Every structure is written in structure tokens, then in C-alpha cells.
Amino acid sequence: MSQKSPAQPAQTSPELRGQFPQLLLATLASAVGFWAWMLISPIQTHYAELMKLGEGRFP
């Protein structure tokens, strides 16, 4: 017959060390993305008029 191996203790908390740089990078990337959309959004009306586009219409 086979012997049962001893059960390994359940790990209750994950290792969270060293994840701050990744969090910082994701936060900065999101901020830059929103900032870029805020710069581009006022231009969209100019391009819509230039291309004679209505709402929901693609070129």
C-alpha cells in the first residue's frame, strides 16, 4: 500500500515584497494615458467638422 505524504501547511499570506515599483509604474502609465486623452479630446470636434462626420459615424 502507498503511504500518505504529510500535508503541507497552507500559506495564509502571499509574498508582497517588491511590488511597489510595479504599482508606481501602473499608476504613472494610467495618469499619462488620461492626460493624453485630455489633450486630444478638444481636437476631436475640429476633425469631425473637417471630415464631415456625425455622431457615431466612422470615416
Side-chain angles (χ1 to χ4, degrees):
M1 298 243 188
S2 65
Q3 293 185 7
K4 292 184 179 179
S5 62
Q8 294 184 358
Q11 192 173 4
T12 56
S13 62
E15 184 64 35
L16 297 177
R17 300 185 86 160
Q19 293 184 359
F20 180 73
Q22 296 163 349
L23 176 66
L24 185 62
L25 180 63
T27 303
L28 289 174
S30 295
V32 169
F34 282 115
W35 172 75
W37 276 113
M38 289 295 109
L39 287 179
I40 294 171
S41 64
I43 301 172
Q44 65 93 16
T45 54
H46 172 70
Y47 283 117
E49 290 173 359
L50 184 68
M51 293 186 223
K52 297 181 173 96
L53 299 176
E55 277 190 44
R57 187 165 173 207
F58 296 102

